[in-house]
């Protein structure tokens, strides 16, 4: 397992033993939409190696849950990575309570196979909600590789549209949809994809990143035309190294591990029913943990800070 860390800090316990604690400092943190926060984290070794399509797994405190998180970009010179986190469960709520100057106990990565970047022709890159953060670096790399990139970004409403400027720069054409019509065109991302297909636009590849119903709908839309389509899967993950089996997905009838065999897979071969079923396995436990967290959010965030070596 490749564990990389930044800024080792030395602590001394009551018996005078010295322990090297490695932490990842948050050098910037800002909400980019309600419940969605972008962090800039010092992680020079990850920044050096990160390629589009890869992710990291974070752990906030010693006995904390491990969560896979999207890398939006990295800056090799500064030695930082940007991650984008949506508050969904307890751990992501705690994470999004952290601010500049806080730190994260450990960050493992970069994980997963990088996106395949070559000249395909015309590529449609689709980002659903916070999945846009994962789609962005791949869109940018595909454009640099000489593809015509048509991006479609969808969100529930205007406030939840993220990375519009970045996606515009990474695309030849950017289309935006909101479910409620509060910004740009009303509808789902798949409505725009269908329009493109009906207009006779030649599409050589589609990449979709977002919630499972969206990725399934994209797969259904392109299947009949036989357009090569990739989806980036985001199942529950634990170790991120192919050892625990937590992220098992069924692709073409075979078990695959999203953390090492993916996260991108041929959308037409993914068994979405199994994905939905496995992702809902821990729903009850997650809801219980979230309810406990809500009762005492402040002290849990403080406990987590203390666990990171904060006073
Ligand atoms: P959301 O539910 O608000 O949906 C975002 C957009 O996806 C919608 O605006 C719509 O355009 C499209 N969409 C949703 N359901 C659809 C359907 N049935 N048919 C067609 N299009 C549909 O998304 P959110 O609340 O931002 O949630 C993001 C989800 O993405 C989370 O569940 C998160 O776990 C997941 N995620 C996935 C990845 C990944 O790598 N796949 C990365 C980050 C997050
Ligand atoms: Fe353990 Fe993928 S997260 S096998």
């Amino acid at each position: 397992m490749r564990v990389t860390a930044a800024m080792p800090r030395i602590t001394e316990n009551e018996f005078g033993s010295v322990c090297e604690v490695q932490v990842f400092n948050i050098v910037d943190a800002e909400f980019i939409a309600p419940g969605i926060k972008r962090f800039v984290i010092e992680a020079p070794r990850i920044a050096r190696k990160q390629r589009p399509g890869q992710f990291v797994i974070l752990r906030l405190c010693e006995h904390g849950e491990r969560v896979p998180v999207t890398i939006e970009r990295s800056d090799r010179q500064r030695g930082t990575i940007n991650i984008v986190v949506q508050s969904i469960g307890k751990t992501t709520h705690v994470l999004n309570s952290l601010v500049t100057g806080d730190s994260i106990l450990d960050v493992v990565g970069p994980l997963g196979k990088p996106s395949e970047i070559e000249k395909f022709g015309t590529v449609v890159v689709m980002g659903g909600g916070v999945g846009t953060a994962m789609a962005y670096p791949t869109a940018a790399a595909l454009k640099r590789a000489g593809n015509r990139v048509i991006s479609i970004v969808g969100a529930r409403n205007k406030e939840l549209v993220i990375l519009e400027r970045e996606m515009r720069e990474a695309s030849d054409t950017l289309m935006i949809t909101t479910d409620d019509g509060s910004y740009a065109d009303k509808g789902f991302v798949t409505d725009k994809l269908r329009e493109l297909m009906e207009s006779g636009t030649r599409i050589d590849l589609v990449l979709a990143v977002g919630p499972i119903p969206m990725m399934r709908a994209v797969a259904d839309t392109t299947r009949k035309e036989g357009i090569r389509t990739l989806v980036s899967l985001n199942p529950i993950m634990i170790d991120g190294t192919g050892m625990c089996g937590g992220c098992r997905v069924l692709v073409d009838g075979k078990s695959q591990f999203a953390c090492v065999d993916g996260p991108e897979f041929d959308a037409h071969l993914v068994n979405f029913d199994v994905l939905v079923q496995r992702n809902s396995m821990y729903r009850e436990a997650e809801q219980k943990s979230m309810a406990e967290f809500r009762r005492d959010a402040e002290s849990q965030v403080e406990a987590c800070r203390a666990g990171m070596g904060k006073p």
Side-chain angles (χ1 to χ4, degrees):
M1 176 162 66
R2 190 167 54 228
V3 179
T4 52
M7 297 293 287
R9 292 197 305 186
I10 308 297
T11 60
E12 194 175 318
N13 69 14
E14 58 189 301
F15 308 109
S17 304
V18 170
C19 167
E20 186 179 273
V21 183
Q22 299 190 307
V23 290
F24 292 81
N25 291 321
I26 297 170
V27 295
D28 193 29
E30 57 157 351
F31 278 102
I32 56 172
I36 304 177
K37 202 164 187 176
R38 170 160 50 199
F39 294 92
V40 182
I41 297 171
E42 273 180 350
R45 280 180 267 176
I46 298 177
R48 260 200 313 273
K49 292 195 159 102
Q50 182 263 339
R51 285 158 65 195
Q54 293 186 298
F55 60 93
V56 288
I57 291 186
L58 311 181
R59 196 168 55 117
L60 295 183
C61 25
E62 203 54 53
H63 300 289
E65 179 193 20
R66 291 163 202 271
V67 281
V69 173
T70 297
I71 308 176
E72 178 229 325
R73 73 169 76 200
S74 58
D75 184 331
R76 287 172 195 207
Q77 246 105 51
R78 275 179 87 197
T80 56
I81 57 168
N82 290 13
I83 58 165
V84 174
V85 181
Q86 184 178 36
S87 308
I88 298 176
K90 174 186 159 181
T91 304
T92 46
H93 272 88
V94 175
L95 185 53
N96 280 357
S97 307
L98 301 182
V99 294
T100 306
D102 281 332
S103 55
I104 293 173
L105 184 68
D106 50 50
V107 182
V108 181
L111 297 169
K113 288 186 181 164
S115 303
E116 198 184 325
I117 305 296
E118 55 180 79
K119 192 163 177 183
F120 296 102
T122 298
V123 184
V124 177
V125 179
M126 305 178 67
V130 74
T132 305
M134 188 81 167
Y136 161 65
T138 303
L142 286 167
K143 179 127 167 44
R144 284 195 297 272
N147 292 283
R148 176 184 176 214
V149 175
I150 302 174
S151 295
I152 310 176
V153 166
R156 266 172 277 153
N157 58 47
K158 183 180 178 179
E159 287 193 302
L160 292 171
V161 175
I162 61 166
L163 306 181
E164 179 178 347
R165 180 178 53 80
E166 290 86 343
M167 285 301 280
R168 203 173 288 288
E169 283 168 11
S171 316
D172 293 277
T173 306
L174 173 67
M175 300 174 183
I176 299 177
T177 60
T178 47
D179 302 6
D180 65 359
S182 54
Y183 185 56
D185 290 334
K186 186 175 185 332
F188 279 171
V189 282
T190 38
D191 297 330
K192 285 285 162 206
L193 177 63
R194 234 173 272 119
E195 272 175 32
L196 267 179
M197 288 165 61
E198 283 163 12
S199 72
T201 303
R202 182 197 158 93
I203 301 173
D204 299 289
L205 178 72
V206 173
L207 168 70
V209 193
I212 297 171
M214 168 216 160
M215 295 191 287
R216 189 203 284 258
V218 171
D220 290 342
T221 307
T222 56
R223 184 176 284 111
K224 43 189 177 295
E225 302 290 337
I227 299 171
R228 186 173 173 220
T229 303
L230 299 171
V231 283
S232 179
L233 302 185
N234 188 28
I236 287 160
M237 291 194 187
I238 303 165
D239 65 343
T241 64
M243 304 288 281
C244 72
C247 67
R248 189 164 62 81
V249 290
L250 205 57
V251 182
D252 200 16
K254 298 183 198 82
S255 279
Q256 302 266 293
F257 296 133
C259 67
V260 287
D261 301 318
E264 287 175 19
F265 293 99
D266 184 330
H268 299 148
L269 302 178
V270 170
N271 186 322
F272 285 101
D273 290 333
V274 169
L275 187 61
V276 169
Q277 188 247 326
R278 283 185 64 84
N279 268 18
S280 60
M281 266 172 20
Y282 300 101
R283 189 150 299 147
E284 211 176 300
E286 280 165 7
Q287 281 166 353
K288 198 168 156 224
S289 159
M290 195 58 212
E292 278 166 17
F293 171 69
R294 281 193 204 286
R295 276 199 290 276
D296 193 17
E298 217 169 288
S299 66
Q300 294 204 44
V301 172
E302 280 316 308
C304 205
R305 282 210 172 98
M308 293 163 194
K310 283 269 163 195

